[in-house]
Amino acid sequence: MAQKGLFITFEGGEGTGKSTQLKLLADFLAQRNIPVITTKEPGGTEVGQELRRILVTGDKDKMDAVAEALLYYADRRIHMTKKVWPALEEGKWVLSDRFADSTVAYQYYGYNKRVPYQTLENLYKLAVGDFKPDLTILLDINPEIGLARSLAKAGHMAVKETRHESRALEFHNNLRNGYLEMAQKEPERFVVLNADKTIEDLHQEIVKTVTERFKLD
Protein backbone atom coordinates (compact mmCIF):
# COMPACT_ATOMS: atom_id res chain seq x y z
CA MET A 1 0.00 0.00 0.00
CA ALA A 2 1.36 3.40 -1.00
CA GLN A 3 0.47 5.27 2.17
CA LYS A 4 -0.25 8.98 1.81
CA GLY A 5 -1.99 9.80 5.10
CA LEU A 6 -0.89 9.23 8.70
CA PHE A 7 -2.12 6.65 11.19
CA ILE A 8 -2.19 7.70 14.85
CA THR A 9 -3.39 5.32 17.54
CA PHE A 10 -4.50 6.04 21.09
CA GLU A 11 -3.76 3.34 23.67
CA GLY A 12 -4.19 2.87 27.40
CA GLY A 13 -6.13 1.03 30.05
CA GLU A 14 -9.69 1.70 31.11
CA GLY A 15 -10.67 5.27 31.92
CA THR A 16 -7.66 7.06 30.47
CA GLY A 17 -9.77 9.39 28.32
CA LYS A 18 -8.69 8.04 24.92
CA SER A 19 -12.01 8.69 23.18
CA THR A 20 -12.23 12.27 24.44
CA GLN A 21 -8.65 13.10 23.51
CA LEU A 22 -8.96 11.50 20.09
CA LYS A 23 -11.96 13.68 19.27
CA LEU A 24 -10.20 16.82 20.48
CA LEU A 25 -7.17 16.05 18.32
CA ALA A 26 -9.41 15.39 15.32
CA ASP A 27 -11.07 18.79 15.85
CA PHE A 28 -7.64 20.45 16.09
CA LEU A 29 -6.49 18.85 12.82
CA ALA A 30 -9.75 19.67 11.01
CA GLN A 31 -9.37 23.32 12.02
CA ARG A 32 -6.01 23.24 10.26
CA ASN A 33 -7.67 21.84 7.12
CA ILE A 34 -6.03 18.45 7.53
CA PRO A 35 -8.37 15.71 6.25
CA VAL A 36 -9.00 13.40 9.20
CA ILE A 37 -11.28 10.54 10.20
CA THR A 38 -11.76 8.91 13.59
CA THR A 39 -12.34 5.23 14.23
CA LYS A 40 -11.98 2.57 16.91
CA GLU A 41 -11.20 -1.07 17.58
CA PRO A 42 -13.25 -3.09 17.96
CA GLY A 43 -16.21 -1.52 16.20
CA GLY A 44 -14.85 0.67 13.45
CA THR A 45 -16.92 -1.05 10.76
CA GLU A 46 -20.43 -2.47 10.53
CA VAL A 47 -19.20 -6.01 11.15
CA GLY A 48 -16.88 -4.66 13.82
CA GLN A 49 -19.83 -3.24 15.73
CA GLU A 50 -21.26 -6.75 16.03
CA LEU A 51 -17.89 -8.09 17.19
CA ARG A 52 -17.57 -5.24 19.69
CA ARG A 53 -20.86 -6.20 21.32
CA ILE A 54 -19.59 -9.74 21.77
CA LEU A 55 -16.18 -8.68 23.08
CA VAL A 56 -16.91 -5.87 25.52
CA THR A 57 -20.32 -6.72 26.98
CA GLY A 58 -21.56 -9.60 29.09
CA ASP A 59 -19.82 -11.97 31.48
CA LYS A 60 -16.02 -11.71 31.69
CA ASP A 61 -15.67 -15.52 31.58
CA LYS A 62 -17.81 -16.18 28.52
CA MET A 63 -14.66 -16.80 26.41
CA ASP A 64 -10.97 -17.28 27.03
CA ALA A 65 -7.99 -15.17 26.00
CA VAL A 66 -7.33 -17.16 22.80
CA ALA A 67 -10.91 -16.73 21.56
CA GLU A 68 -10.72 -13.01 22.34
CA ALA A 69 -7.47 -12.61 20.40
CA LEU A 70 -8.93 -14.33 17.34
CA LEU A 71 -12.04 -12.14 17.39
CA TYR A 72 -9.99 -8.98 17.82
CA TYR A 73 -7.89 -9.90 14.82
CA ALA A 74 -10.96 -10.69 12.73
CA ASP A 75 -12.21 -7.20 13.57
CA ARG A 76 -8.78 -5.71 12.83
CA ARG A 77 -8.47 -7.28 9.40
CA ILE A 78 -11.89 -5.97 8.36
CA HIS A 79 -11.10 -2.58 9.87
CA MET A 80 -7.84 -2.21 7.97
CA THR A 81 -9.09 -3.39 4.59
CA LYS A 82 -12.44 -1.62 4.63
CA LYS A 83 -11.64 1.63 6.41
CA VAL A 84 -8.09 2.44 7.51
CA TRP A 85 -6.03 1.62 4.42
CA PRO A 86 -8.51 3.18 1.95
CA ALA A 87 -8.55 6.40 4.00
CA LEU A 88 -4.75 6.53 4.16
CA GLU A 89 -4.53 6.02 0.41
CA GLU A 90 -6.80 9.05 0.01
CA GLY A 91 -4.34 11.12 2.04
CA LYS A 92 -6.42 11.30 5.20
CA TRP A 93 -5.11 11.18 8.74
CA VAL A 94 -6.70 8.29 10.61
CA LEU A 95 -7.04 8.47 14.41
CA SER A 96 -7.91 5.14 16.01
CA ASP A 97 -9.10 4.49 19.55
CA ARG A 98 -7.03 1.31 20.09
CA PHE A 99 -5.12 -0.90 17.69
CA ALA A 100 -2.94 -4.03 17.90
CA ASP A 101 -1.07 -2.90 21.03
CA SER A 102 -4.34 -3.33 22.91
CA THR A 103 -4.48 -7.00 21.94
CA VAL A 104 -0.96 -7.59 23.24
CA ALA A 105 -1.68 -5.60 26.40
CA TYR A 106 -4.96 -7.33 27.21
CA GLN A 107 -4.62 -10.85 25.85
CA TYR A 108 -0.90 -11.29 26.60
CA TYR A 109 0.07 -9.12 29.56
CA GLY A 110 -3.36 -8.79 31.17
CA TYR A 111 -3.95 -12.53 31.17
CA ASN A 112 -0.42 -13.07 32.50
CA LYS A 113 0.94 -14.31 29.14
CA ARG A 114 -1.75 -16.96 28.64
CA VAL A 115 -1.69 -16.37 24.88
CA PRO A 116 1.86 -16.88 23.52
CA TYR A 117 3.43 -13.68 22.25
CA GLN A 118 4.55 -15.39 19.04
CA THR A 119 0.95 -16.36 18.34
CA LEU A 120 -0.09 -12.71 18.51
CA GLU A 121 2.86 -11.76 16.31
CA ASN A 122 1.80 -14.32 13.72
CA LEU A 123 -1.77 -13.08 13.78
CA TYR A 124 -0.52 -9.53 13.27
CA LYS A 125 1.55 -10.51 10.24
CA LEU A 126 -1.36 -12.44 8.76
CA ALA A 127 -3.90 -9.64 9.26
CA VAL A 128 -1.80 -6.48 9.01
CA GLY A 129 1.57 -7.42 7.48
CA ASP A 130 4.45 -5.02 8.14
CA PHE A 131 2.23 -1.96 8.56
CA LYS A 132 2.57 0.01 11.81
CA PRO A 133 1.12 3.25 13.20
CA ASP A 134 3.07 6.44 12.54
CA LEU A 135 2.54 7.43 16.17
CA THR A 136 1.05 5.72 19.21
CA ILE A 137 -0.08 7.94 22.07
CA LEU A 138 -0.16 5.91 25.27
CA LEU A 139 -2.27 7.52 28.00
CA ASP A 140 -1.06 6.17 31.33
CA ILE A 141 -2.95 6.25 34.63
CA ASN A 142 -3.15 4.39 37.93
CA PRO A 143 -5.59 1.54 37.17
CA GLU A 144 -7.66 2.22 40.29
CA ILE A 145 -8.28 5.80 39.15
CA GLY A 146 -8.95 4.72 35.57
CA LEU A 147 -11.39 1.99 36.57
CA ALA A 148 -13.33 4.39 38.78
CA ARG A 149 -13.61 6.83 35.87
CA SER A 150 -14.66 4.13 33.43
CA LEU A 151 -17.31 2.62 35.68
CA ALA A 152 -18.74 6.07 36.42
CA LYS A 153 -19.02 6.72 32.69
CA ALA A 154 -20.62 3.32 32.10
CA GLY A 155 -23.35 4.20 34.58
CA HIS A 156 -24.71 6.69 32.04
CA MET A 157 -24.57 4.31 29.05
CA ALA A 158 -27.53 2.32 27.74
CA VAL A 159 -25.26 -0.62 26.85
CA LYS A 160 -22.82 -1.50 29.62
CA GLU A 161 -19.42 -2.13 27.98
CA THR A 162 -17.86 -3.23 31.24
CA ARG A 163 -16.69 -6.77 30.54
CA HIS A 164 -13.02 -5.84 30.99
CA GLU A 165 -13.69 -3.46 33.88
CA SER A 166 -15.13 -6.40 35.83
CA ARG A 167 -11.75 -8.15 35.90
CA ALA A 168 -9.56 -8.17 39.01
CA LEU A 169 -7.24 -5.24 39.72
CA GLU A 170 -4.27 -7.55 39.10
CA PHE A 171 -5.35 -7.87 35.47
CA HIS A 172 -5.36 -4.09 35.04
CA ASN A 173 -1.99 -3.69 36.78
CA ASN A 174 -0.53 -6.31 34.42
CA LEU A 175 -2.10 -4.45 31.53
CA ARG A 176 -0.56 -1.15 32.53
CA ASN A 177 2.89 -2.66 33.05
CA GLY A 178 2.61 -4.35 29.68
CA TYR A 179 1.82 -1.11 27.91
CA LEU A 180 4.78 0.62 29.54
CA GLU A 181 7.06 -2.26 28.58
CA MET A 182 5.93 -2.06 24.95
CA ALA A 183 6.51 1.70 24.93
CA GLN A 184 10.01 1.19 26.29
CA LYS A 185 10.78 -1.25 23.47
CA GLU A 186 9.57 1.12 20.72
CA PRO A 187 10.35 4.67 21.88
CA GLU A 188 10.39 5.92 18.29
CA ARG A 189 6.71 5.05 17.88
CA PHE A 190 5.27 5.51 21.38
CA VAL A 191 4.78 8.70 23.36
CA VAL A 192 3.70 8.10 26.96
CA LEU A 193 1.61 10.82 28.62
CA ASN A 194 0.26 11.01 32.15
CA ALA A 195 -3.54 10.93 31.83
CA ASP A 196 -4.22 11.96 35.43
CA LYS A 197 -4.77 15.64 34.65
CA THR A 198 -7.41 17.93 33.22
CA ILE A 199 -8.82 17.24 29.77
CA GLU A 200 -7.48 20.54 28.44
CA ASP A 201 -3.98 20.10 29.86
CA LEU A 202 -3.72 16.62 28.37
CA HIS A 203 -5.06 17.86 25.04
CA GLN A 204 -2.38 20.55 24.90
CA GLU A 205 0.33 17.93 25.52
CA ILE A 206 -1.05 15.80 22.69
CA VAL A 207 -1.21 18.80 20.33
CA LYS A 208 2.41 19.64 21.20
CA THR A 209 3.47 16.04 20.56
CA VAL A 210 1.72 15.82 17.18
CA THR A 211 2.80 19.31 16.08
CA GLU A 212 6.44 18.60 16.81
CA ARG A 213 6.44 15.02 15.48
CA PHE A 214 4.91 15.90 12.12
CA LYS A 215 6.28 19.45 11.85
CA LEU A 216 2.98 21.26 11.67
CA ASP A 217 3.24 25.05 11.47
Side-chain angles (χ1 to χ4, degrees):
M1 184 197 74
Q3 182 179 335
K4 299 175 184 176
L6 292 172
F7 187 45
I8 299 176
T9 57
F10 283 72
E11 294 285 358
E14 307 301 332
T16 54
K18 298 183 311 309
S19 302
T20 299
Q21 292 300 331
L22 182 148
K23 183 181 183 303
L24 289 173
L25 178 59
D27 290 344
F28 168 80
L29 294 172
Q31 288 166 9
R32 301 176 74 86
N33 297 316
I34 295 173
V36 58
I37 68 166
T38 63
T39 188
K40 63 183 177 183
E41 288 195 357
T45 63
E46 187 175 345
V47 175
Q49 290 169 17
E50 296 178 41
L51 291 171
R52 182 180 182 87
R53 179 186 59 77
I54 295 168
L55 283 161
V56 302
T57 66
D59 181 71
K60 64 181 175 61
D61 297 319
K62 68 180 181 180
M63 70 182 89
D64 67 7
V66 175
E68 284 182 2
L70 292 170
L71 287 176
Y72 277 116
Y73 265 102
D75 169 77
R76 186 158 298 128
R77 176 64 183 179
I78 297 165
H79 188 220
M80 298 307 295
T81 58
K82 297 295 185 182
K83 190 169 187 178
V84 176
W85 285 332
L88 292 174
E89 288 174 0
E90 292 171 2
K92 295 175 181 175
W93 288 36
V94 180
L95 311 185
S96 183
D97 184 345
R98 298 196 181 283
F99 185 55
D101 297 307
S102 280
T103 306
V104 177
Y106 280 75
Q107 278 66 58
Y108 179 67
Y109 288 105
Y111 282 108
N112 201 21
K113 305 179 180 180
R114 209 171 297 170
V115 181
Y117 186 81
Q118 190 58 51
T119 297
L120 296 177
E121 282 282 285
N122 291 340
L123 286 170
Y124 187 96
K125 289 176 183 176
L126 178 65
V128 186
D130 295 327
F131 176 84
K132 284 195 173 185
D134 297 284
L135 172 66
T136 296
I137 299 170
L138 173 58
L139 301 184
D140 178 56
I141 200 169
N142 181 316
E144 292 187 68
I145 296 173
L147 284 169
R149 282 184 180 181
S150 189
L151 289 170
K153 179 182 176 182
H156 301 287
M157 297 170 65
V159 178
K160 303 295 189 252
E161 296 185 343
T162 55
R163 183 165 173 262
H164 291 307
E165 283 88 338
S166 65
R167 300 190 187 283
L169 183 59
E170 179 186 6
F171 177 93
H172 295 280
N173 284 326
N174 290 341
L175 174 72
R176 181 193 192 188
N177 292 335
Y179 266 128
L180 293 174
E181 186 174 309
M182 285 189 284
Q184 199 169 35
K185 289 179 179 177
E186 290 189 73
E188 71 286 350
R189 176 166 68 89
F190 277 89
V191 171
V192 182
L193 300 177
N194 178 8
D196 189 13
K197 56 187 59 172
T198 68
I199 290 173
E200 181 57 28
D201 284 348
L202 184 54
H203 170 59
Q204 290 304 322
E205 283 194 43
I206 292 170
V207 165
K208 182 174 184 291
T209 295
V210 171
T211 300
E212 291 178 354
R213 174 68 65 99
F214 301 113
K215 297 179 173 56
L216 301 179
D217 293 330

